[in-house]
């Protein structure tokens, strides 16, 4: 099984993402199935568990890892959710009201009680790059450092929901000032003609807000075949020794065959709000990926355009994956991230294990798939 480094430990490259009894229930999954899936994933050796910020989910994970010995091999990632913003001037500093210091400490202590852990292995904060200039930023970092010193939290991570804002905040360092010139336009040199030329300066690193924060061990971002907005972050994260946690690696179930035109969901499922145009796009994506897997997904023939694509493109000879879900997870792993799919159903655990146990995708195959799914 492929490994990654996270919060000072070697962990599996796929984990249980966003464990939530409330979300599972709204999508027609019984809590016993979620519990069974979690235990099965841990038995197979998955060592990352991402927990939705709800007491029932935190309690479930605490029960699944009841001893310090069990917790020693698993990194449990919990989350401090933001508070709702208050009405007011849109450009004001909102960090003190969205993540007040007392509230962060209260949430950490509440999670410790719910899980019954001695310390939380990784606590994630929803952060925005603009908050680096907030007057409360230093206080937030100081509070996090104090909770580490007290032994309540072992490491901190950031959850980035607005990835485009973070990518836009990446900036080149300011250029060097132009050489001083005389009124006649001749450059004033500090060296005479016999002085050897100075070597070119080493290019300065790009400014990468949040990615270059030394107290953050990881960044959690949405990343999958359908949403590759976060791709520019990966190189910066590697440069600053940050681990990328890929949220929604199956695009909310679209790449697991759960979404598509004509596919019925339970009435309370939040994905019923997906519009028809998006569903048609999902069908065409599934049709494109169907030629690279052994099991054709249902959505691959759910529209006229998707069916025509499938009929024009025969299945390739160099197939490496059984399902689109496996292919999608292996794509995320090829980028060096830890994939965090929701494994609320037992069958999903097997897809995750197959993807984690398989060798890396062939570079030429990956390049072809990326080319066909771009845009």
């Amino acid at each position: 099984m492929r490994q990654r480094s996270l919060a000072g430990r070697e962990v599996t490259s796929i984990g249980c993402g966003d464990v939530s009894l409330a979300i599972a229930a709204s999508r027609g999954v019984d809590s016993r199935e979620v519990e069974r899936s979690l235990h099965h994933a841990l038995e197979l050796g998955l060592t990352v568990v991402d927990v939705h910020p709800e007491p029932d989910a935190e309690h479930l994970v605490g029960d699944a890892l009841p001893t310090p010995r069990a917790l020693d091999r698993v990194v449990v990632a919990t989350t401090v959710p933001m508070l709702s913003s208050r009405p007011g001037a849109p450009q004001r500093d909102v960090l003190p009201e969205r993540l007040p210091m007392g509230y962060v400490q209260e949430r950490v202590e509440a999670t410790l009680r719910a899980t019954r852990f001695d310390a939380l292995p990784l606590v994630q904060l929803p952060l925005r790059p603009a908050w680096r200039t907030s007057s409360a930023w230093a206080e937030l970092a100081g509070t996090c450092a104090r909770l580490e010193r007290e032994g309540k939290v072992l490491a901190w991570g950031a959850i980035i929901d607005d990835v485009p804002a973070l990518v836009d905040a990446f900036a080149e360092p300011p250029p060097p000032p132009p050489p001083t010139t005389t009124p006649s336009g001749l450059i004033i040199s500090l060296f005479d003609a016999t002085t050897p030329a100075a070597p070119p300066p080493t290019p300065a690193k790009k400014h990468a807000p949040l990615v270059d924060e030394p107290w953050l061990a990881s960044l959690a971002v949405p990343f999958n075949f359908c949403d590759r907005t976060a791709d520019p972050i990966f190189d910066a994260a590697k440069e600053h020794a940050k681990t990328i946690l890929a949220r929604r690696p199956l695009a909310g179930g679209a790449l697991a065959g759960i979404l598509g035109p004509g596919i019925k969901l339970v009435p309370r499922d939040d994905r019923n709000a997906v519009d028809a145009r998006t569903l048609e796009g999902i069908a065409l994506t599934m049709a494109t990926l169907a030629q690279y897997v052994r099991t054709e997904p249902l959505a691959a023939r759910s529209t006229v355009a998707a069916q025509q694509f499938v009929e024009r493109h025969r299945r390739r000879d160099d197939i490496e994956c059984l399902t689109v879900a496996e292919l999608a997870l292996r794509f995320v792993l090829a980028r060096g991230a830890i994939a965090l799919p929701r494994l609320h159903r037992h069958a999903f655990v097997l897809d995750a294990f197959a993807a984690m146990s398989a060798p890396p995708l062939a570079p030429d195959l990956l390049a072809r798939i990326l080319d066909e799914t771009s845009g």
Side-chain angles (χ1 to χ4, degrees), residues 15-342:
C16 300
D18 203 23
V19 176
S20 170
L21 297 179
I23 293 174
S26 71
R27 297 181 175 184
V29 183
D30 186 82
S31 61
R32 288 169 296 183
E33 175 69 4
V34 178
E35 182 178 6
R36 176 175 174 240
S37 300
L38 175 62
H39 281 277
H40 186 50
L42 294 172
E43 288 166 3
L44 286 176
L46 272 66
T47 55
V48 181
V49 179
D50 175 47
V51 191
H52 196 77
E54 63 184 39
D56 288 343
E58 293 169 348
H59 187 78
L60 172 66
V61 173
D63 284 346
L65 298 164
T67 65
R69 183 185 179 93
L71 189 59
D72 280 346
R73 66 183 185 85
V74 178
V75 172
V76 175
T78 57
T79 298
V80 175
M82 280 192 294
L83 295 173
S84 300
S85 60
R86 299 192 297 267
Q91 301 302 320
R92 72 187 188 282
D93 181 4
V94 298
L95 175 58
E97 64 191 62
R98 304 301 300 273
L99 285 175
M101 307 311 119
Y103 165 73
V104 171
Q105 174 153 345
E106 288 170 7
R107 285 291 310 190
V108 166
E109 292 174 348
T111 301
L112 285 169
R113 291 192 296 271
T115 57
R116 298 180 300 285
F117 294 161
D118 292 331
L120 301 178
L122 177 66
V123 177
Q124 303 175 104
L125 301 172
L127 298 177
R128 300 174 179 174
W131 287 351
R132 282 276 293 267
T133 61
S134 168
S135 59
W137 182 260
E139 186 180 0
L140 174 63
T143 297
C144 294
R146 176 175 56 78
L147 289 169
E148 278 194 64
R149 290 194 302 272
E150 293 173 356
K152 296 177 179 179
V153 177
L154 301 183
W156 295 90
I159 294 178
I160 312 298
D161 288 319
D162 190 355
V163 175
L166 180 59
V167 173
D168 289 344
F170 280 30
E172 297 284 357
T180 306
T181 60
T182 64
S184 64
L186 298 175
I187 295 177
I188 300 175
S189 175
L190 299 180
F191 308 96
D192 60 29
T194 61
T195 305
T202 303
K205 295 179 180 178
K206 283 187 175 182
H207 172 58
L210 300 183
V211 181
D212 57 11
E213 278 292 333
W215 58 280
L216 294 175
S218 63
L219 289 93
V221 295
F223 187 71
N224 53 62
F225 265 130
C226 303
D227 181 1
R228 302 202 286 269
T229 313
D231 197 71
I233 297 172
F234 281 76
D235 290 338
K238 183 177 181 180
E239 184 178 353
H240 292 282
K242 296 288 187 293
T243 304
I244 294 289
L245 305 178
R247 305 168 66 200
R248 303 181 72 247
L250 299 178
L255 296 171
I258 296 173
L259 292 180
I263 295 178
K264 301 297 183 182
L265 304 171
V266 297
R268 289 187 298 162
D269 196 311
D270 56 294
R271 294 169 294 183
N272 282 310
V274 177
D275 60 87
R277 183 176 179 181
T278 300
L279 292 175
E280 290 175 2
I282 289 171
L284 194 54
T285 298
M286 297 300 272
T288 304
L289 296 175
Q291 61 187 310
Y292 296 100
V293 299
R294 299 190 184 281
T295 305
E296 183 180 292
L298 293 175
R301 296 178 185 264
S302 57
T303 67
V304 173
Q307 183 170 349
Q308 289 176 345
F309 186 95
V310 171
E311 292 172 351
R312 289 197 309 268
H313 296 78
R314 68 177 181 84
R315 189 167 293 156
R316 303 188 64 89
D317 296 328
D318 53 351
I319 289 177
E320 297 187 15
C321 301
L322 179 63
T323 65
V324 170
E326 180 190 339
L327 176 62
L329 292 174
R330 288 174 67 180
F331 159 71
V332 172
L333 301 190
R335 199 63 181 92
I338 294 176
L340 294 178
R342 281 197 182 107

